[in-house]
Amino acid sequence: MTSTPVSDVIDVVVPLTPDQPNWALRRQREKVLAATQGSYDAMFSPSVEGISVIERLLVALHACRVSKADSLAVHYRDRLAAEGADAAVVSAVDAGKPVADARLQAVLAFTGKLIERPIEGDRAAVQSLAESGLSTPAIVATSQLIAFLSYQIRVAAGLKAMAALEVSA
């Protein structure tokens, strides 16, 4: 058996506690639980090159806002505050308003495309990231982050729906 944390991001944002059936259900597949949290840890590692932790957290906040994933948005807002992100930028991203930084604007536009209309995540969309100054490794990391966020948002939403069914049963 693998060693996984007692509580991870999904457990916190849903929220899940050891006395709930969904908490136990998640632990029936320890590998998936560990991989989900491990992916989260890797996506926000300071060792990712070309796109800062704050930029990645802003991408996450934007993805949550677009997806209406409120509890995850709270998590990412808290992370941004802990990282010392500019409150005005966080507020703008959180409200869906334009940001002054052209590079961040391009990254957020790309995020919105991949979240809302993945078919538009084409060569031109990727090229817009390169033109805004992102290196190839940063573009790859950003794309991987957005894919992970889509997964994370859906896992949290699914678990919340299951918990609501338990309550209504």
Side-chain angles (χ1 to χ4, degrees):
M1 185 184 284
T2 59
S3 171
T4 59
V6 172
S7 183
D8 64 2
V9 172
I10 296 293
D11 284 349
V12 172
V13 301
V14 169
L16 293 175
T17 57
D19 61 329
Q20 296 172 308
N22 284 335
W23 188 90
L25 178 66
R26 283 193 76 216
R27 277 139 186 91
Q28 288 179 8
R29 297 291 308 263
E30 287 281 338
K31 279 188 350 185
V32 174
L33 185 98
T36 299
Q37 185 61 35
S39 293
Y40 170 89
D41 295 340
M43 292 295 137
F44 297 103
S45 167
S47 67
V48 174
E49 294 180 30
I51 184 162
S52 72
V53 171
I54 288 176
E55 288 172 312
R56 284 178 272 143
L57 289 167
L58 289 167
V59 164
L61 178 60
H62 182 61
C64 291
R65 186 191 63 75
V66 168
S67 301
K68 297 176 178 51
D70 298 335
S71 61
L72 271 168
V74 168
H75 168 77
Y76 287 116
R77 265 187 240 108
D78 290 348
R79 285 279 320 264
L80 281 157
E83 291 287 334
D86 181 306
V89 173
V90 173
S91 188
V93 171
D94 200 20
K97 295 184 177 172
V99 294
D101 182 84
R103 171 185 154 116
L104 180 58
Q105 184 98 12
V107 171
L108 296 176
F110 183 73
T111 301
K113 282 182 182 180
L114 289 187
I115 295 287
E116 294 182 299
R117 299 170 308 282
I119 192 76
E120 293 180 18
D122 58 9
R123 183 182 200 136
V126 171
Q127 185 60 36
S128 73
L129 292 178
E131 290 168 0
S132 71
L134 265 72
S135 65
T136 299
I139 293 169
V140 171
T142 302
S143 299
Q144 289 174 328
L145 172 61
I146 296 164
F148 169 75
L149 291 165
S150 292
Y151 163 77
Q152 184 187 48
I153 289 165
R154 283 163 180 73
V155 168
L159 288 165
K160 284 182 178 186
M162 289 171 63
L165 285 173
E166 286 174 15
V167 169
S168 68

